[in-house]
Amino acid sequence: MFKNATEFAGDTFLRNMGISKYPSQTGDSGAAIVHHGEDVATLIGVHRGTICIFSAASEGYPLVDTRHYFPWCGILPSVNNYKIFSAWENVEEELNLVRPG
């Protein structure tokens, strides 16, 4: 849903994150996010968790705060909440992974 989002995690800002809606539950952090389309499975990123406040300024959303819509946001990782993940391209770059071929 959003690319290049910024998460406000206490005193830390996590930049270049992806935001979407997909089912997850407690303990899913670090799990691969895979998109299945036709006969192809594509690795999208790595799940971080549920998010309530973020910025996607590059896409026209300087601040998104869902706490007034979902007062349980951050407590119950339901499908209604936004999910945040590290895009696979960022993981590759950070870990200096080389694609075969």
Side-chain angles (χ1 to χ4, degrees):
M1 295 178 71
F2 302 100
K3 298 178 182 177
N4 301 319
T6 299
E7 176 185 7
F8 309 111
D11 294 338
T12 305
F13 295 96
L14 300 176
R15 302 183 194 291
N16 299 321
M17 303 294 282
I19 307 287
S20 191
K21 287 193 173 190
Y22 52 84
S24 72
Q25 59 187 9
T26 302
D28 282 353
S29 297
I33 301 170
V34 179
H35 177 267
H36 297 274
E38 298 180 14
D39 291 335
V40 178
T42 305
L43 181 58
I44 302 297
V46 178
H47 176 73
R48 172 165 159 62
T50 300
I51 189 165
C52 306
I53 304 171
F54 63 91
S55 169
S58 65
E59 297 178 52
Y61 297 90
L63 181 66
V64 176
D65 184 347
T66 65
R67 292 175 299 177
H68 60 284
Y69 295 113
F70 304 114
W72 59 88
C73 187
I75 300 168
L76 298 175
S78 72
V79 176
N80 292 327
N81 294 329
Y82 286 106
K83 309 305 166 102
I84 187 165
F85 62 93
S86 296
W88 181 244
E89 295 83 2
N90 295 338
V91 174
E92 280 182 317
E93 182 178 325
E94 189 66 28
L95 297 178
N96 197 24
L97 300 176
V98 179
R99 291 184 187 200

